[in-house]
Each structure stands twice: as structure tokens, then as C-alpha cells.
């Protein structure tokens, strides 16, 4: 049957909302076999009051196709509601059967946010170049003048000159961080073992900001190398783990946990503007924490510069992560709710595994901390 070959969940609904058919994608989506589905009504698998039920009634009454975007679909089968686009219409004119196609919004959001992140990084690049030239040089003059004045000042006034020096140094450090966004040079890439990167990040984290937080590794040991820059990848994932540790804070009473997971997703292919072919991003790396989560009003802007929930934060950490992942040809996405935040990175695979550019390629380290 043609509907069975489609990659999106397809449901055929009969009279009284009886489920007549569900394809393989629908089985996976609803965690229910097709045999079991045909014994149920749509009302049995969808929570009461779900907008999907009203859409089916609308199709049945009007006899025409209905499209609805970003419908929150709740079900006893789901741990949390899922955001879907719904396409519903009659099977044939005058026929009681209704066809429903569901498309989860997560992948669409990944593509949209990927382009947004890169656009934001480009806008910051131009601003960083201006700041570096127009602010750093005058700052050096201000600091030097304050240090010269300090020699002839009283103790009370000397404290003010020292304040000027410390504040100019703070601004200089901020500009230094922003200068990274202005670096548009292509990365010098080589085959990188992502598990070596994550293990290094873990060691740095456990010896510093993540003391007292349990870090769990859940690795796929068969993962091939990633074409990238090891130092940049360390910087990106160190920022993600640091954010996770800070989100946990002191609120977990020793129950804070960060899960570092890798897996292979061969079916992930994206069409990106400017690319002739669809891009395959099969390598997935996830950093998950059980902190308080990201506020809803910040989620759409999480990777924009100067967006932060920290009192003393600059809001450049995640923007830098998005730039680094974008420079590697990948995308980053965040799913967050109370007590569970996941930063998901999708990266391409090394084209020529047999010809590494530097040194022998070592096999990924095996899972060694699944039950830690």
C-alpha cells in the first residue's frame, strides 16, 4: 500500500472515529502496533480536548482538506505533548474515510533555527570586527592614562583609578570573546574521534565546575570519525556541559546528573539553501541534564547573542557553540522541560575514513560508565 511507504505517520479514520489503518510510521509515533490500532478509536489514543479531534470533525462536516500547523498533540502514549503539523482530508469524495498525515515540527525547527543561528553569527561577526578596531585600541589608552594618574593620587582617589583599570579590562575581555565571531576563516579539519573529545571534556568538567555532579556516558562505540577541529569541538561541548552543570546548580542535593550520549542516525538528511544535494547528518551527540530547564520565553532565542538566564552571564556561550557547530556543517537543537534539558548536535560523517590527514585513527572508546 502506498501509504505504508510514506515516512510520516498516516492514519485512516472511519465512521465514529474508528481507526481503520495506520502505517509503520504511525506505529512508531503512537508506540502501538497496527493490529492494536485498528481495535481503537482516535479518541482512545488522543487526549480529551486535543485539537486533532476537532479537525477531524471539521473535515467530516465540510468534506474538504484541512491543514493546521503547530498543533499540540497530547496522548496517553506520550510522556509529553508533541508539536505536529496536521494534514487531513477525505479519502475520496463522498467517502466516509478520512486520511490524517502528521509531521512532527522538531526537524522543521532544526532547519529553521540552523539558518537563524548562522545568520545571527554572521551579524555578530561584523559587529565584532568593528568593536575590535574601534573599542580595544581606545581602551588601552584609557587604562594607560589611569595607571599614570594613579602615581600622583591620594589613596582615596587611587581606588577610583583602579576601578577604571578593572572596568576597562573587563570590557576588553568581553570584546576578546566577541572577536571569535569575526573569524570567518575555514576550519582546518581532520578526522576526529568524538569520544576522545567528550572524554577530555568530562575530565575537565569533573575537576572543575561539575564537581558533585554525576556524569554518565552512553556511547555508541561504532561511531566513525567526524571531520572537524578537535580544539573547537572541545570548546563547544565544554560550554554545553558547563551550562548543564550551572543549570543543575545546588538544587539537586547530590542528585544532579549529566548524560553524554552518542548515536548513529543514518536517516537524518536535510535540504539546506545553497546546497545542491541533501546533506546527511547521521552523527548525533546529546548533552542532557536534570536541571530546572530553559524558560519558555527564551527557547526561540536561546542561541542568539546576549541571551542568558545568568546574573553575570554575557549570553555569548551558546551563540559561540552554534557558530562552531555551524562551521562544522552541523546543526544544534534544544529540547527543554522541567528536570530535563537536552542539547542535541547533529554532525556529518568523515568522507574518507581510510585516509586520515594526521596520524592513525583510533577506534572510539567503549561505553565505560553506563551504570556509574
Amino acid at each position: 500500500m502506498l501509504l505504508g511507504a510514506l515516512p510520516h505517520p498516516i492514519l485512516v479514520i472511519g465512521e465514529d472515529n474508528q481507526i481503520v489503518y495506520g502505517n509503520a510510521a504511525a506505529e512508531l509515533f503512537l508506540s502501538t502496533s497496527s493490529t492494536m490500532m485498528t481495535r481503537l478509536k482516535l479518541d482512545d489514543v488522543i487526549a480529551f480536548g486535543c485539537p486533532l479531534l476537532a479537525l477531524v470533525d471539521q473535515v467530516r462536516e465540510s468534506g474538504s482538506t484541512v491543514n493546521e500547523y503547530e498543533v499540540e498533540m497530547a496522548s496517553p502514549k506520550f510522556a509529553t505533548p508533541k508539536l505536529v503539523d496536521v494534514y487531513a482530508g477525505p479519502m475520496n469524495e463522498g467517502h466516509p474515510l478520512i486520511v490524517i498525515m502528521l509531521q512532527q515540527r522538531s526537524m522543521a525547527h532544526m532547519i529553521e533555527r540552523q539558518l537563524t543561528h548562522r545568520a545571527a553569527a554572521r551579524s555578530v561577526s561584523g559587529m565584532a570586527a568593528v568593536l575590535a578596531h574601534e573599542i580595544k585600541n581606545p581602551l588601552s589608552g584609557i587604562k594607560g592614562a589611569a595607571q599614570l594618574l594613579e602615581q600622583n593620587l591620594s589613596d582615596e582617589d587611587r581606588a577610583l583609578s583602579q576601578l577604571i583599570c578593572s572596568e576597562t579590562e573587563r570590557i576588553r575581555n568581553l570584546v576578546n570573546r566577541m572577536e571569535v565571531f569575526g573569524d570567518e576563516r575555514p576550519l582546518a579539519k581532520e578526522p576526529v574521534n568524538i569520544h576522545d573529545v567528550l572524554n577530555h571534556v568530562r575530565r575537565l568538567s569533573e575537576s572543575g565546575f561539575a564537581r558533585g555532579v554525576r556524569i554518565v556516558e552512553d556511547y555508541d562505540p561504532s561511531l566513525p570519525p567526524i571531520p572537524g577541529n578537535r580544539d573547537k569541538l572541545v570548546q563547544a561541548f565544554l560550554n554545553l556541559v558547563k551550562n548543564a552543570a550551572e543549570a543543575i546548580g545546588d538544587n539537586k542535593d547530590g542528585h544532579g546528573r549529566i548524560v553524554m550520549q552518542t548515536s548513529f542516525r543514518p536517516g537524518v538528511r536535510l535540504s539546506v539553501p545553497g546546497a545542491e544535494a541533501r546533506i546527511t547528518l547521521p552523527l548525533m551527540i546529546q548533552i542532557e541534564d536534570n536541571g530546572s530547564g530553559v524558560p519558555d520565553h527564551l527557547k526561540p532565542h536561546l542561541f542568539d547573542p546576549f541571551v542568558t538566564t545568568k546574573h553575570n552571564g554575557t549570553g555569548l556561550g551558546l551563540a559561540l557553540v552554534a557558530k562552531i557547530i555551524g562551521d562544522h556543517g552541523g546543526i544544534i537543537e534544544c529540547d527543554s522541560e522541567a528536570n530535563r534539558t537536552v542539547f542535541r548536535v547533529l554532525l556529518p560523517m568523515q568522507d574518507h575514513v581510510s585516509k586520515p590527514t594526521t596520524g592513525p585513527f583510533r577506534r572510539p572508546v567503549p561505553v565505560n560508565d553506563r551504570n556509574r
Side-chain angles (χ1 to χ4, degrees), residues 204-226:
L204 292 175
S205 305
E206 288 182 329
S207 63
F209 52 79
R211 281 197 186 99
V213 177
R214 185 164 62 102
I215 298 180
V216 179
E217 293 174 345
D218 185 4
Y219 294 163
D220 179 351
S222 67
L223 240 59
I226 290 172

Side-chain angles (χ1 to χ4, degrees), residues 14 17 24 54 61 82 99 102 124 127 140 144-145 147 154-155 176 191 225 268 283 291 295 308 314 317 328 365 371:
N17 282 353
E61 292 173 4
K82 296 182 179 181
V99 180
L102 306 172
V124 174
M127 184 170 60
S140 298
Q147 289 173 332
S154 63
D155 292 340
N176 284 338
V268 179
L283 308 182
T308 182
T314 60
H328 281 78
V365 295
N371 300 313

Side-chain angles (χ1 to χ4, degrees), residues 317-338:
L318 289 178
L320 178 59
V321 171
K323 182 183 186 300
I324 291 174
I325 298 304
D327 289 344
H328 281 78
I331 60 174
I332 182 170
E333 179 69 6
C334 175
D335 294 327
S336 183
E337 58 191 59

Side-chain angles (χ1 to χ4, degrees), residues 124-181:
V124 174
S125 298
M127 184 170 60
V130 173
L131 286 172
H133 183 268
E134 300 295 336
I135 295 182
K136 284 181 67 176
N137 291 339
L139 280 178
S140 298
I142 293 172
K143 183 178 179 180
Q147 289 173 332
L148 290 174
L149 289 173
E150 184 179 343
Q151 301 174 7
N152 300 316
L153 295 177
S154 63
D155 292 340
E156 183 178 349
D157 291 335
R158 189 174 292 117
L160 295 176
S161 67
Q162 291 172 351
L163 178 62
I164 294 174
C165 292
S166 63
E167 286 301 290
T168 53
E169 191 63 29
R170 183 178 65 84
I171 297 172
R172 185 181 181 86
N173 290 336
L174 175 61
V175 174
N176 284 338
R177 291 189 64 187
M178 291 191 64
E179 266 193 299
V180 178
F181 292 96

